[in-house]
Each structure stands twice: as structure tokens, then as C-alpha cells.
Amino acid sequence: MPRPAKMKIDLTALRHNCALISQVAPQSQIVAVIKANAYGHGSIKIAEALQGYISLLAVSCVEEAMLLRHEDIKTPILLLEGCFEASELLCASQNNMEVVFHNQQQIDDLLSKQLPKPIRAWLKVDSGMHRLGLKLDEAQDCYRQLKNSKNVKDSIILMTQIASADDLGNAHTQRQLADFHQLHQTLEKEFGDKIETSIGNSATIMGWETGSSDWIRPGIMLYGVSPLAESLPLAEKLEPVMTLKSEIIALRDVPKGDKVGYGSTWEAEKPSVIATVAIGYGDGYPRNARSGTPVLVNGQRAYVAGRVSMDMLSIDVTHISGVKVGDEVILWGKGLDINEIAQWANTIGHELMTRMPMRVPKSYC
Ligand SMILES: *Cc1c(COP(=O)(O)O)cnc(C)c1O
């Protein structure tokens, strides 16, 4: 029998989530964010499964986009950080990519070229997150430069990113949105253009009606995970795409007072049954998941006992009867929200799914 640690990737759930997003934002077009190997789900399979459901994919860079082109994915692809050097513009133009421009250098690079086909430009402004984007007072000049370039298609999209959209009602978010909308109006007036906008990541889409825009950019929610702590009705309807599972490969009775695992950090407070599961931090399960982190054994909750090893972890199954070697253990996914595990490990669901290593085989259904 092969090692049982594996990921199930549910493409029906993916399409369900995508349809749900269309329902809540019927006026918006969806840019499906599949950077970082589709958050660990496998970008090629995810891109294939989304064909016909969305009009635009998004990745971080040309290299990620070319992986998809080599697999014959024809959907247009947006480069979220734009080109890292001028030579990439030619590749973008030849391969049906749309390009973010977040600084003057990228615009200068574009103006210095003669591209075989014009590209669609996304002008990214910094409305207050202070990570990427042009200053609000530079935007008008940059918009003009792009608009006057033969290398740029007619419609330039104005985009921004919100820093704290997961905090509902946050005043900084209100300010970011107000400043962005103000800039948008100014540009439309100045240039007499109808300018499309793009604001929302998942948290903005789910938490901020005022953050709606022509193009929304869901990432984590496509994969069925909410970025918000609140249990909103929409969050309840999302279905997790990734389920991480393995099996029990050993079982033992541990007497009261004995300890389990590296560093002997967990102690049996009563006679206990400890199961060893074939999955560890070498499989993307976080080593800093503390004792008490839940797992599902035959649909019931059991708890991590002691430190997670590279290939294995121990769980306390004292309270569950009939547990045997070979029983399935779910680490996150269907029935166990990855955000709950992330909290026990002091991180977020985004990170846990994105850093899944190649060692864990994926099966798609
Ligand atoms: C990654 C990313 C997103 C998607 O974020 P989620 O929180 O996963 O929805 C949206 N927009 C930009 C610019 C991004 O880099």
C-alpha cells in the first residue's frame, strides 16, 4: 500500500464556489487568482476546471503564466505584479497576458518597446496599504502615459488592494475605498473615459459591499475558505476544495504519567490510547500546531498529542471507541475548517494550503 498521506482536490466544490461568487457579485467579472500553484491545489488542473466559468486568470509572474500556456490553457492571464524586467513584455504580449503597472519604471519599459500586439494594462494605485502601487497623485500622469501608448489596448483598468478588509467596518478600509473612488471619478472626468475598476480580494468581496468593482479578484474563497473570522451566510455556503488526509499506522496504550513524542511535551493525564498518523511537517502539516489541535478520525474529533514530527504525528483517541490501524484521518478540509488548524498554528489558511509540498500526491475528483 502506498503511503496514505494525500490531498483530495474537489473540482466540483471549486466550480460551486465560483458560481456562488458570480451570484453575490452579478455585476462583476471574476479574475480567478491561481498564483502559487493555485494556493497549493495545482494551477493547471484548477485552470482547466475553471474554463468556461471565468474570463480571466491571475498569477504573480510570467513564469507562472507560461506553465499554464505550455499546458495549452488559453484563458487570458493577468500578471498581478506586472513584469519584473522589460524583456517580459514581449512574452506577455505574445501569450495573451494582461499586465499590472505599479511603478513608473514598468511604464517606462513599456513606452520604450514596440510590441507586436497591444496589451491590456491594469494601473495599480496605492490607496493606503503601502505595499505596491503608484501614489494617488501620480495616477493621472501614469494613466495618460499608458493611454497614449500604442502598446496599450483601449481600456485601462484601475486597481487597488485593501489592507484590512477582513476587519468589518474598519475605518482605514473606508478611507481607502473613498480615496480610490474619488481618484476613479477624477480620472473619468479628466479623460472622458469609462474606466473599469478592480478592488476586491476575497475579504473585500465578502465583507464590503462598497468594495464592489467591475473586476473582482477572489483567491482563498474560490478554494472554499473564508478569510473572515465572522460566520457570514456566504462563508457557510463555501465548500472546501482541498482535503488533507492520511491514516493511522500504529496504536498504543499509554499509561497515566507517560509522555508522547519529541521533547516529551504531552503527558497522559489518565490511561490513554495514542494513534500515530502517517503525516507530518514534511507533508505541509504545521509543526507548530499545538497539542490539542483537532483532527477527524472516522468523522469524530481527536486531538494532536505532543510535537508534530516530519513524517508522523500522534493523536489522542482515548475517547473514541473502535479505532484501528488503517482508519482514515482528516487533517483539514471537508468537515474540518483549515482556518481552525491555522489558528492553532498561529497562521492563516492561505499559508497552510499554499506551502503544501510536492511529496503529498493530489487526486482530483
Ligand atoms: C493574492 C491576491 C488576491 C487574492 O487574495 P485572497 O485573499 O486569496 O482572495 C487578490 N488580489 C491581489 C492583488 C492578490 O495579490
mmCIF file of all heavy atoms in Angstrom, residues 33 35 39 80 124 131 159 161 200-203 217-221 350, ligand 1:
data_model
loop_
_atom_site.group_PDB
_atom_site.id
_atom_site.type_symbol
_atom_site.label_atom_id
_atom_site.label_comp_id
_atom_site.label_asym_id
_atom_site.label_seq_id
_atom_site.Cartn_x
_atom_site.Cartn_y
_atom_site.Cartn_z
ATOM 1 N N VAL A 33 -7.843 33.983 -8.988
ATOM 2 C CA VAL A 33 -6.441 34.088 -8.591
ATOM 3 C C VAL A 33 -5.873 32.684 -8.352
ATOM 4 O O VAL A 33 -6.303 31.977 -7.439
ATOM 5 C CB VAL A 33 -6.285 34.976 -7.341
ATOM 6 C CG1 VAL A 33 -4.822 35.065 -6.936
ATOM 7 C CG2 VAL A 33 -6.843 36.374 -7.613
ATOM 8 N N LYS A 35 -2.344 32.088 -8.419
ATOM 9 C CA LYS A 35 -0.895 32.200 -8.188
ATOM 10 C C LYS A 35 -0.449 31.107 -7.218
ATOM 11 O O LYS A 35 -1.279 30.457 -6.567
ATOM 12 C CB LYS A 35 -0.587 33.584 -7.615
ATOM 13 C CG LYS A 35 -1.245 33.854 -6.264
ATOM 14 C CD LYS A 35 -1.168 35.329 -5.891
ATOM 15 C CE LYS A 35 -1.848 35.590 -4.546
ATOM 16 N NZ LYS A 35 -1.998 37.020 -4.268
ATOM 17 N N TYR A 39 -2.683 28.218 -4.948
ATOM 18 C CA TYR A 39 -2.678 28.068 -3.487
ATOM 19 C C TYR A 39 -2.454 26.594 -3.104
ATOM 20 O O TYR A 39 -3.095 26.064 -2.193
ATOM 21 C CB TYR A 39 -3.993 28.567 -2.871
ATOM 22 C CG TYR A 39 -4.269 30.056 -2.978
ATOM 23 C CD1 TYR A 39 -3.910 30.779 -4.101
ATOM 24 C CD2 TYR A 39 -4.914 30.730 -1.951
ATOM 25 C CE1 TYR A 39 -4.176 32.141 -4.188
ATOM 26 C CE2 TYR A 39 -5.187 32.100 -2.034
ATOM 27 C CZ TYR A 39 -4.817 32.790 -3.154
ATOM 28 O OH TYR A 39 -5.088 34.135 -3.252
ATOM 29 N N LEU A 80 -0.165 39.784 -11.737
ATOM 30 C CA LEU A 80 -0.553 40.661 -10.623
ATOM 31 C C LEU A 80 0.551 41.623 -10.189
ATOM 32 O O LEU A 80 0.271 42.673 -9.624
ATOM 33 C CB LEU A 80 -0.995 39.823 -9.421
ATOM 34 C CG LEU A 80 -2.364 39.142 -9.553
ATOM 35 C CD1 LEU A 80 -2.561 38.132 -8.435
ATOM 36 C CD2 LEU A 80 -3.482 40.163 -9.548
ATOM 37 N N LYS A 124 -2.139 50.011 -11.157
ATOM 38 C CA LYS A 124 -2.343 49.743 -9.731
ATOM 39 C C LYS A 124 -1.940 50.939 -8.898
ATOM 40 O O LYS A 124 -0.820 51.429 -8.993
ATOM 41 C CB LYS A 124 -1.528 48.527 -9.300
ATOM 42 C CG LYS A 124 -1.715 48.211 -7.824
ATOM 43 C CD LYS A 124 -1.375 46.785 -7.499
ATOM 44 C CE LYS A 124 -1.761 46.485 -6.058
ATOM 45 N NZ LYS A 124 -1.584 45.074 -5.732
ATOM 46 N N ARG A 131 2.043 48.813 -0.052
ATOM 47 C CA ARG A 131 2.824 47.655 -0.469
ATOM 48 C C ARG A 131 3.237 47.861 -1.919
ATOM 49 O O ARG A 131 4.399 48.039 -2.215
ATOM 50 C CB ARG A 131 2.001 46.374 -0.270
ATOM 51 C CG ARG A 131 2.792 45.116 -0.524
ATOM 52 C CD ARG A 131 1.970 43.858 -0.277
ATOM 53 N NE ARG A 131 0.812 43.762 -1.186
ATOM 54 C CZ ARG A 131 0.031 42.698 -1.256
ATOM 55 N NH1 ARG A 131 0.246 41.632 -0.482
ATOM 56 N NH2 ARG A 131 -0.989 42.657 -2.089
ATOM 57 N N MET A 159 -6.848 49.646 -10.531
ATOM 58 C CA MET A 159 -6.979 48.667 -9.455
ATOM 59 C C MET A 159 -6.291 49.119 -8.174
ATOM 60 O O MET A 159 -5.393 49.959 -8.191
ATOM 61 C CB MET A 159 -6.427 47.303 -9.879
ATOM 62 C CG MET A 159 -4.923 47.189 -9.880
ATOM 63 S SD MET A 159 -4.315 45.572 -10.496
ATOM 64 C CE MET A 159 -4.634 44.479 -9.132
ATOM 65 N N GLN A 161 -5.563 47.503 -3.774
ATOM 66 C CA GLN A 161 -5.681 46.387 -2.832
ATOM 67 C C GLN A 161 -5.964 46.961 -1.446
ATOM 68 O O GLN A 161 -5.394 47.990 -1.062
ATOM 69 C CB GLN A 161 -4.367 45.578 -2.841
ATOM 70 C CG GLN A 161 -4.304 44.399 -1.889
ATOM 71 C CD GLN A 161 -4.908 43.130 -2.473
ATOM 72 O OE1 GLN A 161 -5.783 43.170 -3.354
ATOM 73 N NE2 GLN A 161 -4.463 41.986 -1.988
ATOM 74 N N GLY A 200 -11.646 44.087 -5.219
ATOM 75 C CA GLY A 200 -11.789 43.079 -4.176
ATOM 76 C C GLY A 200 -10.919 41.843 -4.243
ATOM 77 O O GLY A 200 -10.910 41.143 -5.236
ATOM 78 N N ASN A 201 -10.200 41.559 -3.152
ATOM 79 C CA ASN A 201 -9.767 40.187 -2.866
ATOM 80 C C ASN A 201 -10.936 39.517 -2.128
ATOM 81 O O ASN A 201 -11.997 40.115 -1.962
ATOM 82 C CB ASN A 201 -8.483 40.185 -2.027
ATOM 83 C CG ASN A 201 -8.655 40.905 -0.701
ATOM 84 O OD1 ASN A 201 -9.726 41.429 -0.401
ATOM 85 N ND2 ASN A 201 -7.603 40.937 0.091
ATOM 86 N N SER A 202 -10.769 38.312 -1.666
ATOM 87 C CA SER A 202 -11.903 37.594 -1.064
ATOM 88 C C SER A 202 -12.513 38.355 0.109
ATOM 89 O O SER A 202 -13.739 38.457 0.227
ATOM 90 C CB SER A 202 -11.470 36.206 -0.583
ATOM 91 O OG SER A 202 -11.013 35.445 -1.660
ATOM 92 N N ALA A 203 -11.669 38.884 0.988
ATOM 93 C CA ALA A 203 -12.194 39.563 2.179
ATOM 94 C C ALA A 203 -13.016 40.785 1.783
ATOM 95 O O ALA A 203 -14.059 41.066 2.391
ATOM 96 C CB ALA A 203 -11.054 39.958 3.106
ATOM 97 N N ARG A 217 -11.313 39.900 -7.556
ATOM 98 C CA ARG A 217 -10.153 39.011 -7.600
ATOM 99 C C ARG A 217 -10.172 37.997 -6.463
ATOM 100 O O ARG A 217 -9.333 38.050 -5.565
ATOM 101 C CB ARG A 217 -8.865 39.845 -7.520
ATOM 102 C CG ARG A 217 -8.790 40.997 -8.517
ATOM 103 C CD ARG A 217 -7.419 41.663 -8.511
ATOM 104 N NE ARG A 217 -7.043 42.214 -7.225
ATOM 105 C CZ ARG A 217 -7.260 43.474 -6.852
ATOM 106 N NH1 ARG A 217 -7.836 44.334 -7.685
ATOM 107 N NH2 ARG A 217 -6.886 43.889 -5.657
ATOM 108 N N PRO A 218 -11.106 37.067 -6.477
ATOM 109 C CA PRO A 218 -11.141 36.094 -5.394
ATOM 110 C C PRO A 218 -9.995 35.095 -5.481
ATOM 111 O O PRO A 218 -9.678 34.591 -6.560
ATOM 112 C CB PRO A 218 -12.483 35.385 -5.600
ATOM 113 C CG PRO A 218 -12.744 35.507 -7.063
ATOM 114 C CD PRO A 218 -12.160 36.832 -7.481
ATOM 115 N N GLY A 219 -9.374 34.831 -4.351
ATOM 116 C CA GLY A 219 -8.382 33.767 -4.246
ATOM 117 C C GLY A 219 -8.911 32.724 -3.280
ATOM 118 O O GLY A 219 -9.622 31.789 -3.664
ATOM 119 N N ILE A 220 -8.661 32.945 -2.014
ATOM 120 C CA ILE A 220 -8.955 31.934 -0.984
ATOM 121 C C ILE A 220 -10.404 31.452 -1.013
ATOM 122 O O ILE A 220 -10.683 30.273 -0.802
ATOM 123 C CB ILE A 220 -8.582 32.502 0.418
ATOM 124 C CG1 ILE A 220 -8.614 31.434 1.497
ATOM 125 C CG2 ILE A 220 -9.488 33.652 0.841
ATOM 126 C CD1 ILE A 220 -7.326 30.769 1.744
ATOM 127 N N MET A 221 -11.352 32.342 -1.324
ATOM 128 C CA MET A 221 -12.749 31.895 -1.278
ATOM 129 C C MET A 221 -13.086 30.948 -2.433
ATOM 130 O O MET A 221 -13.977 30.112 -2.307
ATOM 131 C CB MET A 221 -13.730 33.081 -1.209
ATOM 132 C CG MET A 221 -13.829 33.913 -2.440
ATOM 133 S SD MET A 221 -14.872 35.417 -2.207
ATOM 134 C CE MET A 221 -16.499 34.735 -1.914
ATOM 135 N N HIS A 350 -4.557 30.573 4.136
ATOM 136 C CA HIS A 350 -3.784 30.853 2.920
ATOM 137 C C HIS A 350 -2.412 30.173 2.994
ATOM 138 O O HIS A 350 -1.972 29.520 2.062
ATOM 139 C CB HIS A 350 -3.464 32.350 2.797
ATOM 140 C CG HIS A 350 -4.594 33.274 2.462
ATOM 141 N ND1 HIS A 350 -5.522 33.688 3.361
ATOM 142 C CD2 HIS A 350 -4.885 33.912 1.304
ATOM 143 C CE1 HIS A 350 -6.351 34.553 2.776
ATOM 144 N NE2 HIS A 350 -5.991 34.699 1.528
HETATM 145 C C1 LIG B 1 -3.439 37.176 -3.956
HETATM 146 C C2 LIG B 1 -4.210 38.349 -4.384
HETATM 147 C C3 LIG B 1 -5.618 38.334 -4.364
HETATM 148 C C4 LIG B 1 -6.418 37.189 -3.787
HETATM 149 O O1 LIG B 1 -6.438 37.281 -2.376
HETATM 150 P P1 LIG B 1 -7.363 36.335 -1.461
HETATM 151 O O2 LIG B 1 -7.203 36.902 -0.096
HETATM 152 O O3 LIG B 1 -6.784 34.971 -1.551
HETATM 153 O O4 LIG B 1 -8.721 36.413 -2.000
HETATM 154 C C5 LIG B 1 -6.291 39.436 -4.880
HETATM 155 N N1 LIG B 1 -5.614 40.494 -5.367
HETATM 156 C C6 LIG B 1 -4.266 40.557 -5.389
HETATM 157 C C7 LIG B 1 -3.585 41.765 -5.939
HETATM 158 C C8 LIG B 1 -3.528 39.497 -4.883
HETATM 159 O O5 LIG B 1 -2.180 39.571 -4.901
#
